[in-house]
Each structure stands twice: as C-alpha cells, then as structure tokens.
C-alpha cells in the first residue's frame, strides 16, 4: 500500500488528508518527505509548510491553519505529529483538544491543504470514534516492516529512477548484507548512486565493493567463498574480521550455525520437503532457507557432516587450548578449500 501511495505522490496525486501510523519510522519520514517535496517548491515552503506537536498544540489550532488559504501557492502542507489520542496511550495532557473540530474537518477537508496526521505508535485504538473516522476518510499509511518482496521492489524502483539496474544476485546480496532496514538500505542506495556510473549494471561485485557489511554480512560472504572453494577470498575476509577484533570463537559459531542450516535444509529437501515447509520445520526465515538450499547443492550429506564434525572439533579446541587460537580456523579453511 505504501509503495502505491509513494507512486501517486510522485505523480502529483495528492489527498487532502493523510494518516500515518505505526512504528517503522523510516516509512513515516519518507512519506512526509515525498509529500513536501512533490507538493511544494522550495521557495513556497517558508510560508506554506507548518509542523505541530499535538502534545503541545491543541488540534483546533492545527485545523485553523489548514483552513487558511496558501500564500501565493496552490497547496499548503500541515503536519501534526504525535497524535497520541488516536491510541489507548496517555499523552502528557499539557493541552486540551476539541476533537469535534477535527471531526468536522475530516468530513470536509480544505482542498487547498494537505493535512498529515502522524501517530508514530504500534497500534491505533480502533474503538474510538475519531480513529474510525480518520481511517475511513484519510489516505492511511500503516508504517510497518515491509516484506522481503516489497523491500526488493522498493530498492529496484529507487535505483531505476536514478538510471541503474540491479541484478538478481546483486539484489539478493544487498538484502542479505543490510536486511529490511529501510534507512540503512536508503544510505547504501545513495552510496551506490554516488560511486557508480549512470546506466551501470549493479551486480554482486559492485555490492561487495560498496556496501558496508555487518558482522553477519561478512560471515555470509565468508561462507559463500567457502562454498565456492575460493580460499584466498575466504582468508581475506577472515583476516579482516580478526582486524575488527572479532573473536575466533564468535566467527566459528556463526559459520557453524550456517552450515548446520545447510545440512538440515539438504537433509529435509532429500526427504521431499519444500522450502516453505523447511522454514516452518526449522523455525527460521524463508530467505535463509532459500540461501541454504542454493549452497547445499555444492555438497553431499557426507561432506556437510564432515565439515560440521571438523567445526565441532575446532570449537572444543578453542575452548580448551591457548596460544594462536586464530590459526585453528585458518587451518580449517586450508584443509577444506585447498585444491
């Protein structure tokens, strides 16, 4: 729903009344940003953009602003934040609101104003008359986490608007490194646009080079190199993790966890389970099962068992021995990747 609303805003299709609610702050901020950007030229914002805190300002003051005609502009934007009275939560009660004013306005909003009511809370109280009215009359944006598919579509469209196309593998890698955190994804997209040539295809090499990796992202990349038997690349990532003061035992635990999922995925696949069923059986995200299924193709059950046994032995040695502990994992990479 939110992606369609963003699309409408870019086409200058505005509603007179918006209700933004939920705790995914990036979606709220991005929707407000688009409304302001598309509805007002920069020169018009000084006199035709107003923001209010509803814990500090009575709602009738905000409605009066909405009823005032724009100053030498077709539209004005009025934003009212922290509409706590639409939830079951208690506000600071610094002001008294006359909600009948808002109810009347919601039934007949001024066509020259874009009134944006923001309730940055997890849930609205749908039992309240005012909440029901706004949900009925306003264009509502529920700011909740997007699905994997929605996130990827948003990234693709965002890059396309800047003149870039991202490959499927590049998209998968970006999603795995950053996840569904839209604010972080937006930062990485800005970096891609800044450091890439217009029209350039964004592939996995571009993502590897440009995108900042979390610990989990680095481990994913490391395992990917192990799967494809790229010893030099695997060692490079491992040494980088050590330089970042990551403990060998933490790195080992992450590697062991992923290989356990690869083994379980392969074993269940051979029993006829589909990826959705495997996800339910293992109680892990479907995307992780998808990646594990792709990686499992490079191993037999026996090879995966051998790897897990070797990792279990390293775990024991790390917990019971002293000296050059980082060398134990290094020897594992040499043993299983050296060809």
């Amino acid at each position: 729903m939110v992606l369609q609303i963003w699309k409408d805003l870019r086409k200058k299709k505005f509603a007179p009344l918006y209700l933004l609610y939920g705790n995914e702050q990036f979606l709220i901020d991005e929707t407000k940003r688009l409304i302001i950007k598309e509805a007002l030229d920069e020169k018009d914002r000084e006199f035709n953009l107003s923001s209010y805190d509803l814990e500090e300002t009575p709602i009738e003051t905000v409605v009066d602003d909405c009823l005032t005609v724009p100053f030498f502009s077709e539209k004005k934007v009025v934003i009212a934040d922290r509409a706590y009275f639409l939830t079951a939560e208690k506000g600071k009660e610094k002001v008294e609101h006359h909600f009948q004013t808002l109810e009347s306005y919601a039934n007949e909003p001024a066509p020259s104003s874009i009134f944006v009511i923001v309730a940055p809370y997890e849930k609205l109280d749908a039992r309240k008359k005012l909440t029901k009215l706004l949900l009925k009359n306003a264009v509502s944006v529920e700011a909740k986490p997007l699905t994997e598919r929605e996130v990827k579509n948003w990234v693709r469209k965002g890059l396309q608007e800047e003149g870039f196309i991202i490959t499927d593998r590049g998209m998968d890698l970006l999603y795995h490194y950053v996840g569904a955190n839209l604010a972080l994804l937006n930062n990485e997209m800005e970096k891609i646009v800044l450091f890439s040539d217009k029209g350039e295809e964004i592939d996995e090499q571009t993502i590897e080079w440009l995108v900042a990796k979390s610990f989990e992202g680095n481990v994913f990349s490391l395992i990917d190199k192990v799967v494809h038997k790229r010893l030099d690349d695997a060692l490079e990532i491992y040494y980088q993790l050590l330089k970042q003061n990551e403990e060998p035992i933490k790195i080992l635990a992450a590697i062991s966890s992923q290989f356990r999922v690869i083994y379980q995925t392969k074993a269940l696949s051979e029993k006829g389970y589909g990826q959705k069923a495997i996800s339910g059986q293992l109680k892990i995200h479907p995307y992780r099962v998808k990646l594990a299924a792709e990686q499992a193709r490079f191993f037999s059950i026996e090879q995966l068992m051998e790897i897990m046994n070797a990792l279990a032995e390293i775990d024991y040695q790390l917990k019971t021995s002293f000296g050059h502990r980082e060398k134990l994992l290094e020897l594992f990479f040499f043993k299983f990747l050296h060809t």
Side-chain angles (χ1 to χ4, degrees), residues 159 183-196:
L159 289 175
L184 290 180
L185 278 169
N186 191 60
N187 289 340
E188 297 302 335
M189 288 164 64
E190 289 178 354
K191 194 190 304 179
I192 289 169
V193 170
L194 183 62
F195 289 99
S196 303

Side-chain angles (χ1 to χ4, degrees), residues 16-22 28 31-32 35 50 52 54 59 62-63 66 77-86 99 102-103 105-106 109 114-121 124 130-131 133-135 137-142:
L17 184 60
Y18 290 90
L19 173 62
L20 316 182
Y21 66 97
I28 290 175
T31 305
K32 289 194 296 183
I35 289 172
S50 306
Y52 298 93
L54 292 173
I59 191 63
V62 183
V63 171
C66 292
V77 176
V78 178
I79 298 172
D81 202 1
R82 296 205 289 181
Y84 65 90
F85 46 75
L86 299 178
F99 296 122
L102 178 56
E103 290 172 7
Y105 186 87
I114 299 174
F115 187 15
V116 183
I117 301 173
V118 182
Y121 313 104
L124 300 184
L130 182 57
T131 304
L133 179 65
L134 290 174
L135 286 171
N137 290 4
V139 171
S140 300
V141 174
E142 184 179 5

Side-chain angles (χ1 to χ4, degrees), residues 149-284:
R149 182 177 180 180
E150 288 172 331
V151 169
K152 289 181 174 180
N153 283 341
W154 174 69
V155 171
R156 289 185 190 282
K157 288 178 181 177
L159 289 175
Q160 283 174 3
E161 288 174 3
E162 298 292 340
F164 298 91
I165 293 177
I166 187 169
T167 65
D168 290 342
R169 176 62 179 165
M171 185 67 255
D172 286 343
L173 203 57
L174 176 61
Y175 185 83
H176 194 86
Y177 284 165
V178 184
N181 187 313
L182 298 181
L184 290 180
L185 278 169
N186 191 60
N187 289 340
E188 297 302 335
M189 288 164 64
E190 289 178 354
K191 194 190 304 179
I192 289 169
V193 170
L194 183 62
F195 289 99
S196 303
D197 295 326
K198 203 130 188 168
E200 179 183 343
E201 185 177 69
I202 308 302
D203 57 16
E204 59 183 301
Q205 283 74 31
T206 307
I207 299 300
E208 286 271 13
W209 180 57
L210 287 176
V211 174
K213 303 178 188 65
S214 62
F215 170 76
E216 292 76 12
N218 272 312
V219 169
F220 167 77
S221 188
L222 173 58
I223 291 170
D224 194 59
K225 305 309 180 189
V226 171
V227 167
H228 292 91
K229 294 189 176 295
R230 297 174 184 169
L231 176 60
D232 291 343
D233 292 339
L235 289 173
E236 182 181 349
I237 297 170
Y238 177 57
Y239 296 148
Q240 186 62 41
L241 285 168
L242 293 176
K243 285 181 183 178
Q244 295 169 2
N245 295 318
E246 299 290 356
E247 287 291 330
I249 197 163
K250 180 181 177 182
I251 300 170
L252 173 68
I255 294 173
S256 299
S257 174
Q258 181 58 19
F259 268 105
R260 191 178 304 114
V261 172
I262 294 172
Y263 171 81
Q264 292 170 324
T265 298
K266 189 171 186 71
L268 290 171
S269 293
E270 291 185 353
K271 289 183 179 179
Y273 285 73
Q275 289 185 14
K276 185 176 180 181
I278 294 172
S279 174
Q281 186 82 3
L282 301 182
K283 294 181 173 57
I284 59 177

Side-chain angles (χ1 to χ4, degrees), residues 85-148:
F85 46 75
L86 299 178
T87 74
E89 296 185 22
K90 292 285 185 181
K92 295 181 180 178
E93 307 298 343
K94 290 184 179 180
V95 296
E96 183 179 351
H97 297 286
H98 297 287
F99 296 122
Q100 188 174 357
T101 305
L102 178 56
E103 290 172 7
S104 298
Y105 186 87
N107 283 315
E108 195 173 349
S112 60
S113 292
I114 299 174
F115 187 15
V116 183
I117 301 173
V118 182
Y121 313 104
E122 185 175 358
K123 291 182 180 179
L124 300 184
D125 189 346
R127 297 168 299 178
K128 293 185 174 182
K129 176 184 175 183
L130 182 57
T131 304
K132 290 178 183 178
L133 179 65
L134 290 174
L135 286 171
K136 177 184 176 183
N137 290 4
V139 171
S140 300
V141 174
E142 184 179 5
K144 63 180 181 179
L146 302 182
T147 65
E148 176 189 337

